[in-house]
Amino acid sequence: MGNVVASNNDRVSMKFVTLVSIVSALGGLLFGFDTAVVSGAVGFMEDRFDLSKLQVGWAVSSLIIGCIVGAAMSGVLSDRFGRKRVLIAAAILFIISSIGSAIPDTFSGFVIARIIGGIGIGITSTLCPLYNAEIAPAKYRGRLVALNQLAVVSGIFLTYFVNLWISNSGNEAWGIETAWRWMFGVGAVPGVLFLVLLFFVPESPRWLIKQGQAAAALPILLKIHGEKLAKQEVIDIKNSFANENGSIRQLFKPSLRIVLIVGVGLAILQQVTGINAVMYYAPEIFKATGAGTNAALVQTILVGFINLLFTIIALWLIDKVGRKALLLFGSASMAISLLVIGIAFHSGHTDGPFVLVFVLLYVASFAVSFGPVVWVLMSEIFPNRIRGKATAIASMALWAADYVVSQTFPPLLNTAGPATTFWLYGAMALIAFFFTWRLVPETKGKSLEEIEVLWKR
Ligand code: BGC
């Protein structure tokens, strides 16, 4: 009988939690869409607005500037107004940005619209995983938070196809005047869907308890955990707040400084190992190996596919083998692939599928480890009361590092050459391995409150 009750509870909670997570993972889809869409549009825009190389860079990176701002704001805003309300605001920014990027007749109008969208991404990239972590039962938390990353990579993959389809729908002149507008404009559709669905999900129970609204949190926790566990959760969450005052200064105290170092360190390492050099510039890399434009595009789609496939594998593994094992395996394997890619460029052996195979191995290694796991850890390692602000700091660091990598990759490629560039990323992957080995704790299967205790030891 007990078992029957338990499994019913399990079913209720999983249905509820999965629904909630899918909704917030839609935010991830928008993240992937918005970062990738410009890759297909920028060529047309270059002609339409007669852009200089610097402006082309700005067309790509204006969004990331917005992301840094959005991530910075997300913590303070979501601690004050709740996770749900701030996500709703982000959805509205997405819609404004999609339409705003599609209609302008000046380049500066476009840039402003992209910065607005970036603010939306900065917010959702921080809050969606965090919201998922706060609502998920410990047993499935890794998987459910990683769903967000699955949405990100699905967004990237889908966008490659949508871009291709739109640009094939007319001639060159139509492309320059209209195609890129459609590419950005279609983003309004998932934006509206995200906005509407957000009204159906509850506020984070942990945030409610922090606001002194335990009565409102209990029914939500009951749906997630069943009766017995829910009451215990309320007590555990309340206790966790008793030990913290929620000020950001607390994070710099010796006992918690290490959590901040781990969170921010992982965020930066996720980016400086070079993933977005590949994500944003893959066709250029393949062209450097001698591939024609078409072959380069096909190879790029392959990159998107492998990224998606191995993210699914990560989802399956993250609550089984744990976060740390995936990070260690992934960083070692990224370091090896980057070393080999560097050697290939150094020795001039770039013909044939050799470089492609190791780029795919590198992307697979990232997708199974640093891609999803860093977002999962960033959403779960910080104590309850300062989670919003602390996750925001880590997320801001991640976007800032993304900005640096995506800005420096083209000049690095030109001046230092591909071999040195990839070796540099490889060295970072090695640092990521040792950083993880020495500093990152295993959080698999632990409640958020148990994780807090880990740092006190
Ligand atoms: C990273 C993004 C990256 C994506 C690629 C994410 O985890 O934060 O910067 O573009 O993975 O799959």
Side-chain angles (χ1 to χ4, degrees):
M1 185 67 190
N3 276 342
V4 173
V5 172
S7 69
N8 272 345
N9 272 342
D10 234 29
R11 233 176 295 144
V12 171
S13 73
M14 271 320 285
K15 226 169 109 188
F16 175 73
V17 171
T18 307
L19 173 86
V20 164
S21 303
I22 285 176
V23 172
S24 89
L26 248 178
L29 193 89
L30 285 160
F31 168 172
F33 168 81
D34 257 335
T35 49
V37 63
V38 71
S39 69
V42 76
F44 294 131
M45 297 181 66
E46 210 174 337
D47 289 337
R48 171 65 176 76
F49 294 111
D50 199 15
L51 301 180
S52 67
K53 282 289 167 223
L54 209 76
Q55 285 174 313
V56 169
W58 192 219
V60 177
S61 59
S62 48
L63 180 94
I64 304 180
I65 295 290
C67 292
I68 300 174
V69 176
M73 288 167 31
S74 63
V76 182
L77 290 181
S78 75
D79 276 351
R80 194 179 156 88
F81 299 109
R83 319 305 192 207
K84 181 172 161 169
R85 280 199 207 111
V86 180
L87 281 173
I88 288 175
I92 295 172
L93 292 180
F94 274 132
I95 300 168
I96 295 175
S97 165
S98 298
I99 298 169
S101 317
I103 57 176
D105 278 321
T106 60
F107 182 58
S108 46
F110 169 80
V111 167
I112 292 170
R114 287 292 280 170
I115 292 179
I116 292 174
I119 297 175
I121 298 187
I123 291 174
T124 47
S125 66
T126 314
L127 290 192
C128 283
L130 181 133
Y131 173 79
N132 277 352
E134 288 191 332
I135 216 150
K139 204 160 95 182
Y140 303 109
R141 192 180 55 245
R143 196 169 298 172
L144 287 171
V145 178
L147 247 184
N148 191 69
Q149 176 72 8
L150 183 65
V152 173
V153 298
S154 306
I156 296 176
F157 190 51
L158 251 170
T159 307
Y160 288 152
F161 282 104
V162 174
N163 278 351
L164 199 67
W165 180 63
I166 293 178
S167 66
N168 283 341
S169 303
N171 60 19
E172 183 70 13
W174 179 80
I176 293 170
E177 192 43 56
T178 312
W180 61 272
R181 298 181 187 276
W182 278 106
M183 291 177 187
F184 291 108
V186 292
V189 177
V192 169
L193 195 66
F194 183 46
L195 177 65
V196 171
L197 288 177
L198 270 173
F199 285 96
F200 294 95
V201 299
E203 182 49 87
S204 151
R206 287 180 165 80
W207 183 80
L208 286 169
I209 292 176
K210 187 175 149 219
Q211 299 305 106
Q213 299 177 32
L218 190 62
I220 303 168
L221 287 168
L222 273 172
K223 274 197 183 156
I224 304 170
H225 299 285
E227 203 162 334
K228 227 167 91 192
L229 275 179
K231 290 198 175 126
Q232 187 55 44
E233 280 276 320
V234 175
I235 295 168
D236 285 354
I237 296 170
K238 277 187 176 164
N239 283 343
S240 78
F241 287 131
N243 300 323
E244 307 153 17
N245 62 25
S247 93
I248 208 71
R249 240 177 283 140
Q250 223 183 354
L251 265 180
F252 295 94
K253 284 191 178 154
S255 59
L256 282 182
R257 201 183 301 146
I258 184 70
V259 201
L260 190 65
I261 293 174
V262 170
V264 171
L266 284 173
I268 294 174
L269 286 166
Q270 190 208 49
Q271 293 295 318
V272 295
T273 42
I275 188 62
N276 286 324
V278 176
M279 288 293 134
Y280 303 165
Y281 297 101
E284 305 313 310
I285 297 173
F286 294 130
K287 278 183 212 157
T289 69
T293 307
N294 219 7
L297 279 180
V298 172
Q299 293 177 358
T300 302
I301 288 182
L302 209 57
V303 165
F305 174 71
I306 291 292
N307 196 12
L308 182 64
L309 182 68
F310 280 83
T311 304
I312 294 172
I313 295 177
L315 227 74
W316 172 60
L317 287 176
I318 193 163
D319 289 317
K320 288 200 174 103
V321 305
R323 286 63 160 154
K324 190 167 182 167
L326 287 181
L327 286 180
L328 287 174
F329 168 78
S331 49
S333 164
M334 279 196 279
I336 293 169
S337 348
L338 288 164
L339 176 74
V340 176
I341 297 169
I343 293 175
F345 275 106
H346 186 67
S347 60
H349 286 111
T350 54
D351 45 341
F354 193 74
V355 170
L356 174 66
V357 167
F358 280 91
V359 168
L360 293 179
L361 184 64
Y362 162 73
V363 170
S365 316
F366 174 86
V368 86
S369 63
F370 270 70
V373 176
V374 167
W375 286 108
V376 169
L377 283 172
M378 272 165 56
S379 69
E380 67 184 11
I381 58 173
F382 296 112
N384 270 326
R385 201 182 268 272
I386 41 177
R387 183 172 304 117
K389 289 188 194 120
T391 306
I393 293 177
S395 174
M396 213 171 82
L398 184 144
W399 284 110
D402 184 4
Y403 182 75
V404 171
V405 172
S406 52
Q407 284 294 300
T408 53
F409 178 68
L412 258 179
L413 212 55
N414 270 339
T415 53
T420 310
T421 308
F422 285 109
W423 282 335
L424 186 70
Y425 299 145
M428 296 298 165
L430 211 59
I431 294 177
F433 178 87
F434 286 108
F435 183 91
T436 305
W437 180 35
R438 297 309 299 260
L439 294 178
V440 177
E442 184 51 76
T443 50
K444 172 185 79 170
K446 296 192 166 60
S447 76
L448 293 180
E449 290 66 36
E450 284 166 350
I451 296 173
E452 288 199 36
V453 176
L454 273 183
W455 300 105
K456 297 202 175 109
R457 281 202 199 124

